[in-house]
Amino acid sequence: MTIGVLGGGQLGRMLGLAGLPLGFSFVFLDPAEDAPAAIAGEVIRAPWDDAEALATLAAKCDVITWEFENVPEAAARRLAEARPVFPPPESLAVSQDRLLEKQHFARLGIPTPPFAAVATEAEVQAALGTIGLPALLKTRRMGYDGRGQRVLRDAADAGPAVAALGGVPLLLERFVPFERELSVVAARGRDGETAAWPVIENHHGGGILRLSLAPAPRLAEERRTRAEGWARMLLESFGYVGVLALELFETAEGLLANEMAPRVHNSGHWTIEGARTSQFENHVRAVAGLPLGDTAPCGVSAMVNLIGTLPPAGALQGVPGLHLHVYGKSPRPGRKLGHATLCAGSLAEILRLLDRLPPIAGLPHPAHG
Ligand code: AMP
């Protein structure tokens, strides 16, 4: 079976690396030069809306998926006329618009920070009355890794923030003083079976994920069950097939949903070595119509993103239990170039191993001593 993938970045590369041993072949479509996924299959280099390239992809593949959430929904729908496309394109449309996404959460009864759709400074001023300060103003579309958002500490910040985000539909959200960020990564098979990996604790810097710990330390059982339940509700709501991630804030009062990603997720990279079945293998299994594999963790894992520059060759491999993944991308500030996963028997051991890492740009020190 040949699996077509919209997007040929590192997520495509890791999907391919998980699917090749299972006997699958891959064809990727990506507009970029030097797609990291090229080591795992053929790459069709073309823009997302290139009808001929989409037709070629459909002709070469039995089933199609994506690894990049800003793929135009129209491209996924066009492919769906020719071949089965998983996950359902509707999940792409919802996740690409922060308003539709929050409304979808609200319909399912999944709590979020209070939000309001706005476009002009006057609308922001009016909405601040119910949302309160501080608040975050975000573009509804094309925002990720903290891009396309401004903090409003004062009503006077509204004008400059609207001007900076530039004439596009916006979402105003209450700024949540969260204790930590969490995510749940879960999968649903074609037969409706679902599975979730343990809830993950995430540390960001400059709007980019830097470190994930799994299972999330000291998470109350009731919150863990709730987070997993929300991920399953989302999967069911779309009749989803494949892997999905839900990002959460943990506050003193409980959990709030921030956003979802209808794809394999950076906070789930630790599952390659740290779980019985990785998110990449289960995504491949799901779209291919195979039973899902066991998502149980093998001990405790930490995943460290390597951003902007890579440590010198060999600098990381001296740390016991470390697995290095390099994506084959040229260095650039803020670019995800690779990741390292540490696996151990306990959180204490993971924290000791993290202390043994050479200096890694932007790596926070998790306060779990
Ligand atoms: P997003 O692009 O919506 O995932 O936001 C990027 C990051 O901004 C999140 O990972 C949080 O660290 C922060 N953030 C987003 N929304 C809020 C909020 N309502 N309150 C506080 N921080 C937020």
Side-chain angles (χ1 to χ4, degrees):
M1 182 187 275
T2 301
I3 300 178
V5 185
L6 290 169
Q10 65 266 18
L11 301 178
R13 177 180 174 115
M14 290 184 273
L15 280 172
L17 291 174
L20 290 172
L22 306 182
F24 297 106
S25 305
F26 291 84
V27 180
F28 303 91
L29 188 148
D30 199 300
E33 244 181 297
D34 301 332
I39 61 159
E42 180 188 344
V43 180
I44 301 171
R45 189 176 167 211
W48 304 117
D49 58 357
D50 183 327
E52 205 176 312
L54 292 170
T56 307
L57 181 70
K60 286 174 182 269
C61 300
D62 302 290
V63 60
I64 291 164
T65 186
W66 60 76
E67 58 93 77
F68 176 61
E69 78 195 64
N70 287 323
V71 166
E73 186 198 354
R77 293 215 183 267
R78 188 177 198 118
L79 288 166
E81 290 166 14
R83 289 285 183 270
V85 171
F86 300 118
E90 191 205 345
S91 62
L92 200 57
V94 168
S95 74
Q96 285 173 355
D97 184 327
R98 292 182 193 279
L99 177 64
L100 298 186
E101 186 175 57
K102 293 241 155 54
Q103 288 172 335
H104 192 81
F105 292 153
R107 265 197 301 280
L108 296 174
I110 301 174
T112 67
F115 63 92
V118 291
T120 62
E121 184 190 347
E123 285 170 7
V124 174
Q125 295 291 2
L128 280 175
T130 46
I131 302 295
L133 283 163
L136 267 180
L137 191 62
K138 300 180 176 180
T139 55
R140 272 174 60 178
R141 301 182 65 85
M142 298 303 280
Y144 57 93
D145 284 351
R147 284 180 240 191
Q149 52 174 270
R150 291 285 183 285
V151 181
L152 309 186
R153 301 197 184 282
D154 202 274
D157 294 338
V162 170
L165 296 175
V168 292
L170 302 168
L171 193 74
L172 184 71
E173 260 179 48
R174 181 173 301 163
F175 186 92
V176 177
F178 55 76
E179 288 170 354
R180 61 174 168 173
E181 295 188 74
L182 302 171
S183 61
V184 200
V185 181
R188 186 171 179 275
R190 283 209 216 176
D191 60 0
E193 177 197 6
T194 60
W197 285 270
V199 175
I200 305 148
E201 175 182 300
N202 299 315
H203 298 258
H204 294 83
I208 306 176
L209 180 67
R210 304 284 166 164
L211 168 71
S212 293
L213 287 177
R218 293 192 267 275
L219 179 63
E221 181 62 17
E222 176 264 331
R223 292 187 180 182
R224 186 188 67 74
T225 318
R226 182 164 297 191
E228 274 189 32
W230 291 344
R232 286 182 209 270
M233 280 164 63
L234 278 171
L235 291 169
E236 296 302 337
S237 71
F238 293 112
Y240 199 88
V241 173
V243 166
L244 170 147
L246 172 63
E247 295 182 31
L248 303 163
F249 299 135
E250 183 171 37
T251 71
E253 291 76 40
L255 301 177
L256 297 172
N258 176 32
E259 63 179 1
M260 58 170 259
R263 54 168 173 77
V264 285
H265 195 252
N266 194 172
S267 71
H269 289 1
W270 64 275
T271 61
I272 297 176
E273 294 90 7
R276 293 210 180 126
T277 313
S278 77
Q279 61 165 348
F280 299 101
E281 178 168 341
N282 263 348
H283 188 79
V284 169
R285 287 187 186 217
V287 303
L290 299 174
L292 298 178
D294 186 356
T295 51
C298 314
V300 180
S301 300
M303 190 280 316
V304 172
N305 266 343
L306 304 173
I307 294 166
T309 54
L310 290 172
L316 293 170
Q317 278 91 341
V319 180
L322 183 141
H323 305 271
L324 180 63
H325 298 255
V326 173
Y327 306 150
K329 292 156 76 172
S330 46
R332 198 193 295 154
R335 202 172 197 204
K336 292 174 181 170
L337 302 179
H339 75 266
T341 300
L342 293 162
C343 296
S346 68
L347 178 65
E349 208 180 326
I350 282 288
L351 295 174
R352 271 197 299 277
L353 291 174
L354 282 171
D355 279 340
R356 286 182 57 177
L357 290 178
I360 292 178
L363 182 65
H365 195 87
H368 287 290

